[in-house]
Amino acid sequence: MTHLADQIILLLAALLLISVFSTKFSTRFGMPALVLFIAAGMVLSHFIYFNNVALTQLAGIFALVVILFEGGMQTSMKDIRPVMKPALSLATLGVLVTTAVIGVFAKFILGVPWAESFLIGAIVGSTDAAAVFSVLGGKNIDKRLTSTLEAESGSNDPMAVFLTVSLIEWVQHPDTAVWSLVLSFFWEMGVGLLIGIGVGKLAVYLINRINLDSTGLYPVLAIGFAILTYGASAMIHSSGLLAVYVMGLVLGNSELMYHRTIMNFNHGFAWMMQIAMFILLGLLVFPQELAAVAWQGLLLSVILMVVARPAGVFLSLLFTRFSLREKTLISWAGLRGAIPIVLATYPLLAGLPHGRLFFNVVFFVVLTSAVIQGTTISPLALRLRLVGQEPQSQPSLMELVALGKTDSEFNHIGIEQHMPIAGRQIAEIGLPEDILFTAIIRNKSIVTPHGSTVIEPGDTVYVLSPKSKREEMRDIFRSGKGRAAETNISSV
């Protein structure tokens, strides 16, 4: 049993490393990373039999909680406030129109009853923010467009979940009253919104006032509040995903202690959850079953991309100031991702007769949408002349360093008695021009370094230096004992 556990751990490590390195290829080819994660799961399905739909759905929902929380924290209210109305129109009317159009075509393509055909439309009705911005990242697209897509992607998931659950109930209980579904919609969205705001404000209050022993516990506390938000909302049958996204918005747009620490943790954790979720979803797919629905899936995917999504966008934005070119890009940028595949597990668990068919078709639609649209969004934006010539607003120094988008890095070094710089003034050290002392922590206080500042044992010195000069920087702190001091040198 121990040997089996060791093998599983080794396999997980290999999958994690391969998935991380694969993101470099996805960025180069303009393809969402989810495609490569799913592909890894599908390859593994040849060697590992996995058919636990309930576990996959649980992992998917947990991953979505983390992803939506991280997305909410990264969303600036200042940016989305001007586009809130069109974004909400896309998230509601747009999803309804997409559901209706796909439902009509699915009825004749798949030969299923009307209620089940509209269920297919509801499942593929929402877009995926992570997929969209993984291919738009770094492009100087009009901020109004990217903010609209961001707000739409964060707020249309609850609508798709509501429609999916409601249509499954309608399939299982055809006598369900329509008015009860309408009341359920307002309850889910309204209460989910209130819980998100309430728990968000409570989290801000506690994070700013509680004194934890380690700064590493603050991101864990924030994630705990996000999970609490979803759980509390789900228990009273309101929209947990909407509540989590709103809670993230409240935290991300508030004065918050350790804001950067929480953001960095969330970003990495969200990536881990995406990798785990899509590999599990890939394991749940049997490639031979995909081949059996290839033409239906491809036809529905094309209809979604060139008919259903554009219809939803153009109707939703009918009375807005978006130009034809902007509406065209918004239509094409409606990539499908995590939510549709997770929602496709609902009919399976509900025991619907066509549950496996729905899952395979939706999986095919998401995969083709990500590959075809993902690789063509950037060229289309260029062709539509929606990519500006001027650079976007400059990110902060800490953002550049934290995201690894610069050749420089921050290091913090604990000063010990035996180090050659201990007890010396900074001016006497002879620092190279491109190595800079930025701050000194001494007795829980911050000291601004000047030429006359003396480096004392017990100090923690923060150093900004080029990555190529890492060894030269470390040589400054090394004692005659060789590399003994390196254990106190670590990157920020």
Side-chain angles (χ1 to χ4, degrees):
M1 183 64 182
T2 303
H3 182 62
L4 176 61
D6 293 341
Q7 288 180 325
I8 293 174
I9 291 173
L10 182 61
L11 178 62
L12 290 175
L15 282 174
L16 186 61
L17 292 173
I18 291 170
S19 299
V20 170
F21 290 133
S22 69
T23 59
K24 297 295 292 183
F25 295 98
S26 69
T27 302
R28 179 173 299 179
F29 294 107
M31 184 185 300
L34 69 90
V35 175
L36 300 176
F37 302 155
I38 289 174
M42 292 176 68
V43 171
L44 278 178
S45 67
H46 285 285
F47 308 99
I48 301 173
Y49 179 79
F50 179 81
N51 195 30
N52 194 328
V53 180
L55 176 61
T56 304
Q57 186 185 88
L58 176 62
I61 291 174
F62 185 81
L64 289 172
V65 168
V66 175
I67 292 167
L68 281 174
F69 174 58
E70 194 254 347
M73 281 206 68
Q74 289 197 9
T75 301
S76 169
M77 283 300 298
K78 182 180 69 174
D79 291 335
I80 68 170
R81 190 174 287 111
V83 298
M84 188 66 75
K85 288 183 179 179
L88 289 178
S89 180
L90 286 167
T92 51
L93 178 60
V95 173
L96 282 172
V97 173
T98 301
T99 298
V101 174
I102 291 294
V104 171
F105 281 96
K107 163 68 178 174
F108 301 103
I109 294 173
L110 300 178
V112 295
W114 280 109
E116 296 184 34
S117 69
F118 286 120
L119 176 58
I120 286 280
I123 291 173
V124 299
S126 66
T127 58
D128 184 78
V132 171
F133 288 99
S134 68
V135 296
L136 287 183
K139 300 294 183 182
N140 189 20
I141 307 293
D142 184 355
K143 191 66 177 178
R144 190 171 58 128
L145 293 179
T146 56
S147 296
T148 301
L149 289 166
E150 181 179 357
E152 178 207 4
S153 299
S155 56
N156 66 6
D157 294 342
M159 184 67 177
V161 173
F162 169 77
L163 287 175
T164 299
V165 173
S166 298
L167 285 167
I168 289 176
E169 184 179 350
W170 189 25
V171 170
Q172 294 177 323
H173 307 285
D175 57 342
T176 301
V178 176
W179 64 267
S180 68
L181 296 179
V182 174
L183 289 178
S184 178
F185 170 78
F186 286 105
W187 168 266
E188 289 194 20
M189 301 305 164
V191 175
L193 178 65
L194 292 176
I195 291 178
I197 295 173
V199 178
K201 290 184 177 297
L202 175 64
V204 171
Y205 178 83
L206 290 177
I207 290 173
N208 285 339
R209 283 162 178 78
I210 193 170
N211 185 20
L212 299 176
D213 293 334
S214 171
T215 57
L217 291 174
Y218 287 93
V220 179
L221 181 62
I223 284 289
F225 275 114
I227 298 170
L228 172 67
T229 301
Y230 178 86
S233 301
M235 287 297 292
I236 59 174
H237 304 289
S238 63
S239 178
L241 295 182
L242 177 62
V244 167
Y245 181 71
V246 171
M247 183 260 188
L249 276 175
V250 173
L251 256 69
N253 290 273
S254 300
E255 292 292 333
L256 194 66
M257 285 183 62
Y258 303 106
H259 188 279
R260 176 55 55 186
T261 301
I262 294 172
M263 290 284 286
N264 289 340
F265 176 87
N266 288 347
H267 191 65
F269 193 32
W271 268 109
M272 283 194 65
M273 295 312 301
Q274 282 192 72
I275 292 170
M277 174 178 60
F278 285 119
I279 288 177
L280 272 180
L281 291 168
L283 279 170
L284 200 60
V285 172
F286 299 97
Q288 64 272 18
E289 293 183 359
L290 282 187
V293 298
W295 76 266
Q296 296 100 320
L298 184 59
L299 185 55
L300 280 174
S301 183
V302 171
I303 292 170
L304 175 64
M305 289 185 285
V306 302
V307 180
R309 169 67 178 178
V313 169
F314 278 81
L315 284 175
S316 301
L317 304 180
L318 190 61
F319 301 106
T320 65
R321 296 181 179 180
F322 286 101
S323 67
L324 177 61
R325 290 183 293 115
E326 290 171 332
K327 292 176 184 177
T328 301
L329 183 63
I330 292 174
S331 299
W332 195 248
L335 274 70
R336 268 55 192 173
I339 276 282
I341 304 181
V342 173
L343 289 181
T345 63
Y346 281 51
L348 277 174
L349 284 180
L352 297 189
H354 299 100
R356 174 54 69 171
L357 171 65
F358 292 168
F359 182 84
N360 291 331
V361 169
V362 170
F363 195 94
F364 199 94
V365 168
V366 170
L367 209 55
T368 51
S369 166
V371 172
I372 297 172
Q373 290 178 290
T375 55
T376 54
I377 287 177
S378 294
L380 178 63
L382 287 169
R383 189 172 184 83
L384 293 174
R385 300 189 302 280
L386 294 173
V387 178
Q389 299 299 318
E390 295 297 324
Q392 297 184 17
S393 59
Q394 295 295 325
S396 69
L397 172 64
M398 290 302 295
E399 287 176 328
L400 283 173
V401 173
L403 296 174
K405 296 183 180 295
T406 176
D407 292 330
S408 297
E409 63 183 358
F410 272 115
N411 289 279
H412 54 89
I413 301 95
I415 304 301
E416 299 178 11
Q417 184 69 48
H418 57 73
M419 291 183 178
I421 71 169
R424 299 176 61 186
Q425 292 184 354
I426 293 177
E428 299 173 349
I429 299 173
L431 292 175
E433 290 185 359
D434 47 4
I435 295 179
L436 178 68
F437 287 4
T438 59
I440 299 172
I441 307 298
R442 178 178 297 161
N443 298 325
K444 298 184 179 181
S445 298
I446 298 177
V447 176
T448 302
H450 300 284
S452 59
T453 303
V454 177
I455 306 296
E456 299 179 359
D459 288 349
T460 298
V461 179
Y462 283 76
V463 184
L464 178 64
S465 64
K467 293 177 181 177
S468 60
K469 298 290 185 70
R470 186 178 297 163
E471 287 303 311
E472 185 176 342
M473 182 274 297
R474 293 185 175 191
D475 283 338
I476 296 171
F477 297 90
R478 286 183 182 135
S479 67
K481 300 177 183 179
R483 295 177 178 266
E486 285 196 31
T487 54
N488 290 328
I489 301 177
S490 52
S491 297
V492 176

